[in-house]
């Protein structure tokens, strides 16, 4: 008998359909649009530069992490303890930690900013998407 | 006798004020205010209160809604039911989960310095030295 591990529900960043994957899955093919999607959480501990970062999971920038990207799409949320320079669209909560530095736009259903965080610039749309319609 | 340092000006829930308001200590808005707020102290906007104003204060604590740009020398605190529709400039920002925010943000000591009233540039006038007559060639 096949072993049934822990599963999680994710949302495709291409077609926005929801589907279940194993919690340990790193990438899969979306059953809606059949495109390859990354479902793992992306944890940034050092310097990471990229043009576009997409995941169905979460993006976590640790205290010594620094991310410079054109665009970040994190469909399960984003947490910044280090430095972030990007335009962010998040499907889950965005948390900006007490020692975080933020530069860029933010679209998220909820936002949490801790005392001590520095936001250099950016346009914030909170709540965004379905959460905004509910409000 | 009430201590003057802890006195709070309260704008009650059934009050609607239009114009400019300024205060040095703390004001709590429970009603509706439209116009401009300038304060050295703290502005508290209670849940259900509406503030359609440009706000410049030392500290802003929000449970209700502000429709307008907000500048705080010290801190802006958005509690879970708070809402801001406008740009924010503050030295410190605290946002609780559930608050809504639509606008540009600049938070940090530099943002607060930029937000503070600009000092008049000191212009020093340097007395012009009289032109020396050109030496005549012989």
């Amino acid at each position: 008998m096949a072993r049934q591990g822990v599963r999680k529900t994710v949302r495709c960043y291409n077609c926005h359909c929801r589907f279940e994957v194993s919690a340990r899955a790193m990438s899969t093919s979306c059953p809606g649009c059949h495109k390859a999607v990354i479902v793992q959480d992306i944890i940034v501990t050092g310097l990471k530069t990229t043009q576009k970062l997409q995941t169905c999971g979460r993006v976590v920038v640790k205290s010594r992490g620094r991310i410079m990207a054109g665009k970040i799409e994190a469909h399960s949320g984003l947490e910044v303890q280090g430095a972030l320079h990007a335009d962010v669209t998040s499907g889950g909560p965005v948390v900006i930690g007490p020692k975080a530095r933020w530069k860029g736009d933010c679209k998220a259903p909820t936002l949490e900013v801790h005392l001590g965080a520095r936001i250099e610039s950016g346009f914030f749309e909170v709540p965004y998407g379905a959460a905004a319609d509910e409000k | 006798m009430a201590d003057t340092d802890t006195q709070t000006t309260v704008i009650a829930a059934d009050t609607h004020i239009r114009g400019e308001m300024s205060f040095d200590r703390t004001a709590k808005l429970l009603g509706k205010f439209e116009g401009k707020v300038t304060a050295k102290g703290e502005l508290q906007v209670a849940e259900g209160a509406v503030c359609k104003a440009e706000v410049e204060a030392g500290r802003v604590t929000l449970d209700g809604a502000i429709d307008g740009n907000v500048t705080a020398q010290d801190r802006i605190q958005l509690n879970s039911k708070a809402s801001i529709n406008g740009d924010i400039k503050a030295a410190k920002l605290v946002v609780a989960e559930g608050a809504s925010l639509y606008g540009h943000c600049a938070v940090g000591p530099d943002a607060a310095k930029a937000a503070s009233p600009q000092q008049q540039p000191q212009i020093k006038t340097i007395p012009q030295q009289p032109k020396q007559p050109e030496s005549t060639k012989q």
Side-chain angles (χ1 to χ4, degrees):
Chain A
M1 221 175 105
R3 202 171 57 175
Q4 188 75 26
V6 183
R7 297 184 76 77
K8 65 176 179 181
T9 305
V10 294
R11 214 174 110 201
C12 173
Y13 47 76
N14 295 309
C15 68
H16 303 290
C17 81
R18 287 184 184 276
F19 58 96
E20 267 199 350
V21 291
S22 163
R24 296 201 310 189
M26 295 169 82
S27 64
T28 187
S29 174
C30 170
C33 62
H34 306 290
K35 284 181 182 169
V37 287
I38 298 163
V39 294
Q40 69 175 346
D41 292 348
I42 295 170
I43 294 162
V44 182
T45 52
L47 174 65
K48 188 177 175 76
T49 54
T50 179
Q51 192 52 244
K52 197 173 186 181
L53 185 70
Q54 287 179 306
T55 178
C56 298
R58 293 176 77 224
V59 172
V60 180
V61 184
K62 295 282 187 186
S63 55
R64 292 197 171 188
R66 190 176 172 194
I67 187 161
M68 296 181 82
K71 194 176 178 184
I72 294 175
E73 274 186 50
H75 277 253
S76 297
L78 181 135
E79 185 183 333
V80 188
Q81 300 295 340
L84 179 142
H85 188 160
D87 290 342
V88 172
T89 305
S90 175
V94 169
V95 178
I96 304 177
K99 288 181 180 173
R101 292 186 77 150
W102 179 289
K103 192 173 185 182
D105 298 348
C106 176
K107 291 173 181 173
T110 64
L111 172 72
E112 208 179 318
V113 182
H114 292 263
L115 184 64
R118 290 176 77 167
I119 300 168
E120 284 171 28
S121 65
F123 188 81
F124 280 67
E125 277 183 70
V126 182
Y128 170 77
D133 299 336
E134 280 173 24
K135 272 210 167 183
Chain B
M1 283 280 285
D3 186 6
T4 50
D5 289 342
T6 56
Q7 275 180 352
T8 304
T9 307
V10 179
I11 296 161
D14 61 344
T15 313
H16 185 174
I17 297 174
R18 200 175 289 166
E20 283 190 30
M21 177 166 73
S22 65
F23 51 90
D24 285 346
R25 293 194 179 88
T26 306
K28 189 167 188 175
L29 179 65
L30 302 167
K32 198 172 177 182
F33 180 85
E34 286 177 59
K36 190 177 179 183
V37 179
T38 312
K40 287 179 187 167
E42 182 179 357
L43 173 70
Q44 299 171 351
V45 181
E47 195 182 335
V50 177
C51 183
K52 289 184 181 177
E54 294 282 316
V55 177
E56 279 179 33
R59 202 167 179 174
V60 179
T61 305
L62 267 183
D63 283 294
I66 291 184
D67 197 346
N69 300 338
V70 182
T71 305
Q73 302 308 320
D74 181 29
R75 177 170 160 173
I76 298 174
Q77 182 163 338
L78 275 72
N79 295 329
S80 59
K81 288 180 180 173
S83 154
I84 288 187
N85 198 351
D87 299 345
I88 281 179
K89 275 183 191 170
K92 295 169 198 163
L93 174 71
V94 179
V95 181
E97 194 177 352
S100 69
L101 167 61
Y102 290 90
H104 288 99
C105 261
V107 177
D110 302 337
K113 276 178 198 166
S116 63
Q118 287 183 346
Q119 290 180 339
Q120 289 292 323
Q122 290 183 341
I123 301 164
K124 286 180 183 174
T125 51
I126 301 163
Q128 282 189 342
Q129 290 180 345
K131 283 182 183 176
Q132 287 181 348
E134 286 179 19
S135 58
T136 52
K137 286 179 184 176
Q138 287 184 349

